[in-house]
Amino acid sequence: VLFVDEAYTLLPSDARSPGRDHGAAALKELARALPNTSPMVILAGYAGDLQRVLNSDLGFKGHFLLRVELPDPSPVEIARMFLMKLNQKGYVIGDGVTVEYVAKLIANNTEEEWRMDRNARISSLLVQAVRTEIKRKTGGASETASISPLKPAAQVSPSLPPDDVMVTVEDLQNAIGSL
C-alpha cells in the first residue's frame, strides 16, 4: 500500500523553480503504476484539491475504483477527541467539562471555515492551549508545591505529572480564546 497524503502538493507549482519541481514526475510514476494494482495507491487530501490531481493530464483518470470522502468532524466529535486525549494524558477532568460543554464552546468560539481547515487537529490544538493556560496560570510554580490531585489547574505546577492537574471550565474558556 502506498499512501500519499496531500497529493495535490505534487502538482506543478509556480512556487518551485522549474528545474527543481519533480512533483509532476512523481505523479506520472504513480499513475503509471495504477493499472498494475500493485502497490495499492491511496491519495488523501481535501476533496477539491484531489479533484485537481484526478483531472490533471498525468494519467489518473479512470484508475481509481473507489472514492471516499470523510466529512469534517462536528464540534461534538472534536470535543470527544479532546476529552479522550486529556484522559489519555492523565489529566483530571473537572466538573462541568463535558462533551456537550466543550462542543458548545468550540462551536461558539470558532468559525466553521476555520474548523474545516484544521479538522480533527483542533482537539490537539485545544489540548496544547489548555496546557499553555495551565502554565500561564501557575506562573512557573515550584515543582515541590504541595498539591492534591483534585486541585484546579491554576493551583498546581505545570511541571507535575498531568494526573495531578484538573482541567476546569475556566481553563477551557481561557484556552479557547488562544486558538
PDB file of all heavy atoms in Angstrom, residues 109-138:
ATOM      1  N   ASN A 109     -17.047  29.612  19.536  1.00  0.00           N
ATOM      2  CA  ASN A 109     -15.824  30.413  19.550  1.00  0.00           C
ATOM      3  C   ASN A 109     -14.929  30.195  18.338  1.00  0.00           C
ATOM      4  O   ASN A 109     -13.822  30.725  18.298  1.00  0.00           O
ATOM      5  CB  ASN A 109     -15.038  30.128  20.831  1.00  0.00           C
ATOM      6  CG  ASN A 109     -15.726  30.703  22.037  1.00  0.00           C
ATOM      7  OD1 ASN A 109     -15.626  31.891  22.315  1.00  0.00           O
ATOM      8  ND2 ASN A 109     -16.462  29.868  22.755  1.00  0.00           N
ATOM      9  N   THR A 110     -15.392  29.404  17.386  1.00  0.00           N
ATOM     10  CA  THR A 110     -14.618  29.197  16.164  1.00  0.00           C
ATOM     11  C   THR A 110     -15.566  29.266  14.967  1.00  0.00           C
ATOM     12  O   THR A 110     -16.754  28.992  15.094  1.00  0.00           O
ATOM     13  CB  THR A 110     -13.918  27.817  16.161  1.00  0.00           C
ATOM     14  OG1 THR A 110     -14.895  26.777  16.228  1.00  0.00           O
ATOM     15  CG2 THR A 110     -12.938  27.688  17.314  1.00  0.00           C
ATOM     16  N   GLU A 111     -15.009  29.638  13.845  1.00  0.00           N
ATOM     17  CA  GLU A 111     -15.781  29.695  12.612  1.00  0.00           C
ATOM     18  C   GLU A 111     -15.748  28.329  11.932  1.00  0.00           C
ATOM     19  O   GLU A 111     -14.758  27.601  12.022  1.00  0.00           O
ATOM     20  CB  GLU A 111     -15.191  30.742  11.665  1.00  0.00           C
ATOM     21  CG  GLU A 111     -15.221  32.157  12.208  1.00  0.00           C
ATOM     22  CD  GLU A 111     -16.624  32.729  12.300  1.00  0.00           C
ATOM     23  OE1 GLU A 111     -17.473  32.356  11.453  1.00  0.00           O
ATOM     24  OE2 GLU A 111     -16.879  33.524  13.216  1.00  0.00           O
ATOM     25  N   GLU A 112     -16.814  27.993  11.236  1.00  0.00           N
ATOM     26  CA  GLU A 112     -16.877  26.703  10.550  1.00  0.00           C
ATOM     27  C   GLU A 112     -15.731  26.541   9.555  1.00  0.00           C
ATOM     28  O   GLU A 112     -15.117  25.473   9.468  1.00  0.00           O
ATOM     29  CB  GLU A 112     -18.220  26.533   9.843  1.00  0.00           C
ATOM     30  CG  GLU A 112     -18.379  25.176   9.212  1.00  0.00           C
ATOM     31  CD  GLU A 112     -19.749  24.964   8.597  1.00  0.00           C
ATOM     32  OE1 GLU A 112     -20.618  25.839   8.697  1.00  0.00           O
ATOM     33  OE2 GLU A 112     -19.935  23.882   8.013  1.00  0.00           O
ATOM     34  N   GLU A 113     -15.425  27.591   8.826  1.00  0.00           N
ATOM     35  CA  GLU A 113     -14.338  27.513   7.845  1.00  0.00           C
ATOM     36  C   GLU A 113     -13.007  27.234   8.536  1.00  0.00           C
ATOM     37  O   GLU A 113     -12.190  26.447   8.045  1.00  0.00           O
ATOM     38  CB  GLU A 113     -14.246  28.819   7.046  1.00  0.00           C
ATOM     39  CG  GLU A 113     -13.222  28.769   5.943  1.00  0.00           C
ATOM     40  CD  GLU A 113     -13.225  30.023   5.095  1.00  0.00           C
ATOM     41  OE1 GLU A 113     -14.293  30.635   4.912  1.00  0.00           O
ATOM     42  OE2 GLU A 113     -12.143  30.382   4.616  1.00  0.00           O
ATOM     43  N   TRP A 114     -12.776  27.854   9.689  1.00  0.00           N
ATOM     44  CA  TRP A 114     -11.559  27.617  10.463  1.00  0.00           C
ATOM     45  C   TRP A 114     -11.496  26.146  10.883  1.00  0.00           C
ATOM     46  O   TRP A 114     -10.448  25.514  10.783  1.00  0.00           O
ATOM     47  CB  TRP A 114     -11.545  28.538  11.687  1.00  0.00           C
ATOM     48  CG  TRP A 114     -10.303  28.450  12.512  1.00  0.00           C
ATOM     49  CD1 TRP A 114      -9.140  29.142  12.338  1.00  0.00           C
ATOM     50  CD2 TRP A 114     -10.106  27.610  13.673  1.00  0.00           C
ATOM     51  NE1 TRP A 114      -8.236  28.783  13.304  1.00  0.00           N
ATOM     52  CE2 TRP A 114      -8.805  27.845  14.141  1.00  0.00           C
ATOM     53  CE3 TRP A 114     -10.899  26.691  14.346  1.00  0.00           C
ATOM     54  CZ2 TRP A 114      -8.279  27.207  15.250  1.00  0.00           C
ATOM     55  CZ3 TRP A 114     -10.376  26.057  15.456  1.00  0.00           C
ATOM     56  CH2 TRP A 114      -9.079  26.312  15.893  1.00  0.00           C
ATOM     57  N   ARG A 115     -12.630  25.612  11.341  1.00  0.00           N
ATOM     58  CA  ARG A 115     -12.680  24.201  11.751  1.00  0.00           C
ATOM     59  C   ARG A 115     -12.425  23.278  10.554  1.00  0.00           C
ATOM     60  O   ARG A 115     -11.734  22.274  10.675  1.00  0.00           O
ATOM     61  CB  ARG A 115     -14.019  23.867  12.412  1.00  0.00           C
ATOM     62  CG  ARG A 115     -14.198  24.527  13.775  1.00  0.00           C
ATOM     63  CD  ARG A 115     -15.391  23.977  14.537  1.00  0.00           C
ATOM     64  NE  ARG A 115     -16.653  24.072  13.847  1.00  0.00           N
ATOM     65  CZ  ARG A 115     -17.491  25.103  13.924  1.00  0.00           C
ATOM     66  NH1 ARG A 115     -17.187  26.157  14.671  1.00  0.00           N
ATOM     67  NH2 ARG A 115     -18.635  25.093  13.267  1.00  0.00           N
ATOM     68  N   MET A 116     -12.977  23.635   9.399  1.00  0.00           N
ATOM     69  CA  MET A 116     -12.788  22.815   8.197  1.00  0.00           C
ATOM     70  C   MET A 116     -11.314  22.755   7.796  1.00  0.00           C
ATOM     71  O   MET A 116     -10.831  21.725   7.333  1.00  0.00           O
ATOM     72  CB  MET A 116     -13.621  23.353   7.041  1.00  0.00           C
ATOM     73  CG  MET A 116     -15.102  23.084   7.187  1.00  0.00           C
ATOM     74  SD  MET A 116     -16.115  23.907   5.924  1.00  0.00           S
ATOM     75  CE  MET A 116     -15.344  23.371   4.421  1.00  0.00           C
ATOM     76  N   ASP A 117     -10.594  23.843   7.981  1.00  0.00           N
ATOM     77  CA  ASP A 117      -9.175  23.885   7.630  1.00  0.00           C
ATOM     78  C   ASP A 117      -8.320  23.036   8.569  1.00  0.00           C
ATOM     79  O   ASP A 117      -7.253  22.573   8.195  1.00  0.00           O
ATOM     80  CB  ASP A 117      -8.643  25.319   7.655  1.00  0.00           C
ATOM     81  CG  ASP A 117      -9.119  26.148   6.478  1.00  0.00           C
ATOM     82  OD1 ASP A 117      -9.584  25.563   5.481  1.00  0.00           O
ATOM     83  OD2 ASP A 117      -9.031  27.391   6.565  1.00  0.00           O
ATOM     84  N   ARG A 118      -8.793  22.850   9.784  1.00  0.00           N
ATOM     85  CA  ARG A 118      -7.985  22.159  10.794  1.00  0.00           C
ATOM     86  C   ARG A 118      -8.478  20.769  11.146  1.00  0.00           C
ATOM     87  O   ARG A 118      -7.755  19.990  11.750  1.00  0.00           O
ATOM     88  CB  ARG A 118      -7.906  23.025  12.050  1.00  0.00           C
ATOM     89  CG  ARG A 118      -6.990  24.217  11.817  1.00  0.00           C
ATOM     90  CD  ARG A 118      -7.324  25.385  12.694  1.00  0.00           C
ATOM     91  NE  ARG A 118      -6.492  26.532  12.359  1.00  0.00           N
ATOM     92  CZ  ARG A 118      -6.756  27.381  11.374  1.00  0.00           C
ATOM     93  NH1 ARG A 118      -7.822  27.215  10.611  1.00  0.00           N
ATOM     94  NH2 ARG A 118      -5.967  28.399  11.129  1.00  0.00           N
ATOM     95  N   ASN A 119      -9.731  20.463  10.815  1.00  0.00           N
ATOM     96  CA  ASN A 119     -10.298  19.140  11.039  1.00  0.00           C
ATOM     97  C   ASN A 119     -10.079  18.657  12.471  1.00  0.00           C
ATOM     98  O   ASN A 119     -10.180  19.419  13.411  1.00  0.00           O
ATOM     99  CB  ASN A 119      -9.747  18.144  10.019  1.00  0.00           C
ATOM    100  CG  ASN A 119     -10.127  18.496   8.614  1.00  0.00           C
ATOM    101  OD1 ASN A 119     -11.293  18.724   8.340  1.00  0.00           O
ATOM    102  ND2 ASN A 119      -9.169  18.559   7.714  1.00  0.00           N
ATOM    103  N   ALA A 120      -9.746  17.395  12.618  1.00  0.00           N
ATOM    104  CA  ALA A 120      -9.595  16.788  13.939  1.00  0.00           C
ATOM    105  C   ALA A 120      -8.389  17.325  14.700  1.00  0.00           C
ATOM    106  O   ALA A 120      -8.292  17.145  15.910  1.00  0.00           O
ATOM    107  CB  ALA A 120      -9.493  15.277  13.799  1.00  0.00           C
ATOM    108  N   ARG A 121      -7.487  17.988  13.998  1.00  0.00           N
ATOM    109  CA  ARG A 121      -6.309  18.566  14.656  1.00  0.00           C
ATOM    110  C   ARG A 121      -6.710  19.583  15.724  1.00  0.00           C
ATOM    111  O   ARG A 121      -5.930  19.879  16.628  1.00  0.00           O
ATOM    112  CB  ARG A 121      -5.422  19.213  13.600  1.00  0.00           C
ATOM    113  CG  ARG A 121      -4.073  19.629  14.106  1.00  0.00           C
ATOM    114  CD  ARG A 121      -3.235  20.181  13.010  1.00  0.00           C
ATOM    115  NE  ARG A 121      -3.999  21.223  12.324  1.00  0.00           N
ATOM    116  CZ  ARG A 121      -3.603  21.872  11.255  1.00  0.00           C
ATOM    117  NH1 ARG A 121      -2.462  21.583  10.722  1.00  0.00           N
ATOM    118  NH2 ARG A 121      -4.337  22.803  10.703  1.00  0.00           N
ATOM    119  N   ILE A 122      -7.948  20.081  15.656  1.00  0.00           N
ATOM    120  CA  ILE A 122      -8.420  21.047  16.651  1.00  0.00           C
ATOM    121  C   ILE A 122      -8.329  20.458  18.051  1.00  0.00           C
ATOM    122  O   ILE A 122      -7.989  21.166  18.997  1.00  0.00           O
ATOM    123  CB  ILE A 122      -9.861  21.507  16.342  1.00  0.00           C
ATOM    124  CG1 ILE A 122      -9.886  22.252  15.018  1.00  0.00           C
ATOM    125  CG2 ILE A 122     -10.423  22.372  17.464  1.00  0.00           C
ATOM    126  CD1 ILE A 122     -11.279  22.508  14.477  1.00  0.00           C
ATOM    127  N   SER A 123      -8.603  19.168  18.188  1.00  0.00           N
ATOM    128  CA  SER A 123      -8.531  18.557  19.517  1.00  0.00           C
ATOM    129  C   SER A 123      -7.115  18.655  20.080  1.00  0.00           C
ATOM    130  O   SER A 123      -6.932  18.967  21.258  1.00  0.00           O
ATOM    131  CB  SER A 123      -9.010  17.110  19.481  1.00  0.00           C
ATOM    132  OG  SER A 123      -8.208  16.333  18.623  1.00  0.00           O
ATOM    133  N   SER A 124      -6.111  18.434  19.254  1.00  0.00           N
ATOM    134  CA  SER A 124      -4.716  18.560  19.704  1.00  0.00           C
ATOM    135  C   SER A 124      -4.356  20.007  19.998  1.00  0.00           C
ATOM    136  O   SER A 124      -3.650  20.291  20.963  1.00  0.00           O
ATOM    137  CB  SER A 124      -3.758  18.003  18.651  1.00  0.00           C
ATOM    138  OG  SER A 124      -3.979  16.627  18.469  1.00  0.00           O
ATOM    139  N   LEU A 125      -4.843  20.914  19.150  1.00  0.00           N
ATOM    140  CA  LEU A 125      -4.588  22.334  19.392  1.00  0.00           C
ATOM    141  C   LEU A 125      -5.200  22.785  20.711  1.00  0.00           C
ATOM    142  O   LEU A 125      -4.596  23.567  21.456  1.00  0.00           O
ATOM    143  CB  LEU A 125      -5.160  23.177  18.241  1.00  0.00           C
ATOM    144  CG  LEU A 125      -4.499  23.019  16.880  1.00  0.00           C
ATOM    145  CD1 LEU A 125      -5.307  23.746  15.809  1.00  0.00           C
ATOM    146  CD2 LEU A 125      -3.061  23.507  16.918  1.00  0.00           C
ATOM    147  N   LEU A 126      -6.387  22.282  21.016  1.00  0.00           N
ATOM    148  CA  LEU A 126      -7.048  22.650  22.264  1.00  0.00           C
ATOM    149  C   LEU A 126      -6.325  22.054  23.468  1.00  0.00           C
ATOM    150  O   LEU A 126      -6.187  22.720  24.494  1.00  0.00           O
ATOM    151  CB  LEU A 126      -8.516  22.231  22.234  1.00  0.00           C
ATOM    152  CG  LEU A 126      -9.397  22.766  23.362  1.00  0.00           C
ATOM    153  CD1 LEU A 126      -9.292  24.281  23.510  1.00  0.00           C
ATOM    154  CD2 LEU A 126     -10.844  22.354  23.136  1.00  0.00           C
ATOM    155  N   VAL A 127      -5.825  20.834  23.351  1.00  0.00           N
ATOM    156  CA  VAL A 127      -5.026  20.249  24.439  1.00  0.00           C
ATOM    157  C   VAL A 127      -3.803  21.126  24.699  1.00  0.00           C
ATOM    158  O   VAL A 127      -3.491  21.455  25.852  1.00  0.00           O
ATOM    159  CB  VAL A 127      -4.598  18.796  24.122  1.00  0.00           C
ATOM    160  CG1 VAL A 127      -3.546  18.309  25.112  1.00  0.00           C
ATOM    161  CG2 VAL A 127      -5.797  17.873  24.136  1.00  0.00           C
ATOM    162  N   GLN A 128      -3.115  21.526  23.639  1.00  0.00           N
ATOM    163  CA  GLN A 128      -1.939  22.380  23.801  1.00  0.00           C
ATOM    164  C   GLN A 128      -2.317  23.726  24.404  1.00  0.00           C
ATOM    165  O   GLN A 128      -1.597  24.253  25.265  1.00  0.00           O
ATOM    166  CB  GLN A 128      -1.226  22.578  22.457  1.00  0.00           C
ATOM    167  CG  GLN A 128       0.073  23.347  22.578  1.00  0.00           C
ATOM    168  CD  GLN A 128       1.068  22.683  23.509  1.00  0.00           C
ATOM    169  OE1 GLN A 128       1.280  21.485  23.448  1.00  0.00           O
ATOM    170  NE2 GLN A 128       1.661  23.451  24.395  1.00  0.00           N
ATOM    171  N   ALA A 129      -3.436  24.291  23.987  1.00  0.00           N
ATOM    172  CA  ALA A 129      -3.875  25.579  24.530  1.00  0.00           C
ATOM    173  C   ALA A 129      -4.210  25.452  26.015  1.00  0.00           C
ATOM    174  O   ALA A 129      -3.911  26.366  26.801  1.00  0.00           O
ATOM    175  CB  ALA A 129      -5.086  26.095  23.749  1.00  0.00           C
ATOM    176  N   VAL A 130      -4.801  24.339  26.407  1.00  0.00           N
ATOM    177  CA  VAL A 130      -5.103  24.116  27.827  1.00  0.00           C
ATOM    178  C   VAL A 130      -3.799  23.990  28.617  1.00  0.00           C
ATOM    179  O   VAL A 130      -3.662  24.570  29.701  1.00  0.00           O
ATOM    180  CB  VAL A 130      -5.996  22.873  28.016  1.00  0.00           C
ATOM    181  CG1 VAL A 130      -6.017  22.412  29.464  1.00  0.00           C
ATOM    182  CG2 VAL A 130      -7.411  23.168  27.541  1.00  0.00           C
ATOM    183  N   ARG A 131      -2.843  23.267  28.079  1.00  0.00           N
ATOM    184  CA  ARG A 131      -1.541  23.128  28.759  1.00  0.00           C
ATOM    185  C   ARG A 131      -0.872  24.488  28.910  1.00  0.00           C
ATOM    186  O   ARG A 131      -0.299  24.794  29.955  1.00  0.00           O
ATOM    187  CB  ARG A 131      -0.653  22.165  27.993  1.00  0.00           C
ATOM    188  CG  ARG A 131      -1.175  20.732  28.033  1.00  0.00           C
ATOM    189  CD  ARG A 131      -0.337  19.803  27.223  1.00  0.00           C
ATOM    190  NE  ARG A 131       0.969  19.678  27.850  1.00  0.00           N
ATOM    191  CZ  ARG A 131       1.972  19.005  27.328  1.00  0.00           C
ATOM    192  NH1 ARG A 131       1.826  18.391  26.171  1.00  0.00           N
ATOM    193  NH2 ARG A 131       3.124  18.921  27.945  1.00  0.00           N
ATOM    194  N   THR A 132      -0.940  25.302  27.872  1.00  0.00           N
ATOM    195  CA  THR A 132      -0.368  26.645  27.931  1.00  0.00           C
ATOM    196  C   THR A 132      -1.098  27.491  28.962  1.00  0.00           C
ATOM    197  O   THR A 132      -0.467  28.244  29.723  1.00  0.00           O
ATOM    198  CB  THR A 132      -0.434  27.311  26.536  1.00  0.00           C
ATOM    199  OG1 THR A 132       0.316  26.509  25.621  1.00  0.00           O
ATOM    200  CG2 THR A 132       0.111  28.726  26.560  1.00  0.00           C
ATOM    201  N   GLU A 133      -2.414  27.373  29.015  1.00  0.00           N
ATOM    202  CA  GLU A 133      -3.212  28.114  30.002  1.00  0.00           C
ATOM    203  C   GLU A 133      -2.839  27.695  31.418  1.00  0.00           C
ATOM    204  O   GLU A 133      -2.688  28.528  32.307  1.00  0.00           O
ATOM    205  CB  GLU A 133      -4.711  27.897  29.750  1.00  0.00           C
ATOM    206  CG  GLU A 133      -5.616  28.495  30.800  1.00  0.00           C
ATOM    207  CD  GLU A 133      -5.501  30.000  30.953  1.00  0.00           C
ATOM    208  OE1 GLU A 133      -4.949  30.680  30.072  1.00  0.00           O
ATOM    209  OE2 GLU A 133      -5.957  30.514  31.993  1.00  0.00           O
ATOM    210  N   ILE A 134      -2.669  26.402  31.638  1.00  0.00           N
ATOM    211  CA  ILE A 134      -2.283  25.910  32.960  1.00  0.00           C
ATOM    212  C   ILE A 134      -0.915  26.467  33.345  1.00  0.00           C
ATOM    213  O   ILE A 134      -0.717  26.947  34.463  1.00  0.00           O
ATOM    214  CB  ILE A 134      -2.291  24.362  32.991  1.00  0.00           C
ATOM    215  CG1 ILE A 134      -3.732  23.860  32.889  1.00  0.00           C
ATOM    216  CG2 ILE A 134      -1.608  23.833  34.237  1.00  0.00           C
ATOM    217  CD1 ILE A 134      -3.851  22.375  32.615  1.00  0.00           C
ATOM    218  N   LYS A 135      -0.006  26.459  32.410  1.00  0.00           N
ATOM    219  CA  LYS A 135       1.336  27.002  32.661  1.00  0.00           C
ATOM    220  C   LYS A 135       1.262  28.492  32.969  1.00  0.00           C
ATOM    221  O   LYS A 135       1.905  28.985  33.894  1.00  0.00           O
ATOM    222  CB  LYS A 135       2.233  26.744  31.452  1.00  0.00           C
ATOM    223  CG  LYS A 135       3.667  27.140  31.654  1.00  0.00           C
ATOM    224  CD  LYS A 135       4.506  26.753  30.451  1.00  0.00           C
ATOM    225  CE  LYS A 135       5.940  27.155  30.660  1.00  0.00           C
ATOM    226  NZ  LYS A 135       6.788  26.789  29.527  1.00  0.00           N
ATOM    227  N   ARG A 136       0.444  29.205  32.198  1.00  0.00           N
ATOM    228  CA  ARG A 136       0.288  30.647  32.422  1.00  0.00           C
ATOM    229  C   ARG A 136      -0.281  30.923  33.812  1.00  0.00           C
ATOM    230  O   ARG A 136       0.194  31.805  34.528  1.00  0.00           O
ATOM    231  CB  ARG A 136      -0.625  31.252  31.362  1.00  0.00           C
ATOM    232  CG  ARG A 136      -0.775  32.783  31.479  1.00  0.00           C
ATOM    233  CD  ARG A 136      -1.930  33.312  30.670  1.00  0.00           C
ATOM    234  NE  ARG A 136      -3.226  32.893  31.154  1.00  0.00           N
ATOM    235  CZ  ARG A 136      -3.840  33.393  32.241  1.00  0.00           C
ATOM    236  NH1 ARG A 136      -3.265  34.308  32.961  1.00  0.00           N
ATOM    237  NH2 ARG A 136      -5.022  32.942  32.599  1.00  0.00           N
ATOM    238  N   LYS A 137      -1.277  30.167  34.194  1.00  0.00           N
ATOM    239  CA  LYS A 137      -1.944  30.398  35.478  1.00  0.00           C
ATOM    240  C   LYS A 137      -1.064  30.053  36.671  1.00  0.00           C
ATOM    241  O   LYS A 137      -1.193  30.662  37.723  1.00  0.00           O
ATOM    242  CB  LYS A 137      -3.250  29.600  35.549  1.00  0.00           C
ATOM    243  CG  LYS A 137      -4.326  30.184  34.633  1.00  0.00           C
ATOM    244  CD  LYS A 137      -5.541  29.324  34.596  1.00  0.00           C
ATOM    245  CE  LYS A 137      -6.394  29.560  35.816  1.00  0.00           C
ATOM    246  NZ  LYS A 137      -7.696  28.867  35.721  1.00  0.00           N
ATOM    247  N   THR A 138      -0.192  29.086  36.505  1.00  0.00           N
ATOM    248  CA  THR A 138       0.662  28.695  37.624  1.00  0.00           C
ATOM    249  C   THR A 138       1.848  29.625  37.763  1.00  0.00           C
ATOM    250  O   THR A 138       2.473  29.661  38.816  1.00  0.00           O
ATOM    251  CB  THR A 138       1.169  27.253  37.456  1.00  0.00           C
ATOM    252  OG1 THR A 138       1.915  27.171  36.263  1.00  0.00           O
ATOM    253  CG2 THR A 138       0.018  26.269  37.473  1.00  0.00           C
TER     254      THR A 138
END
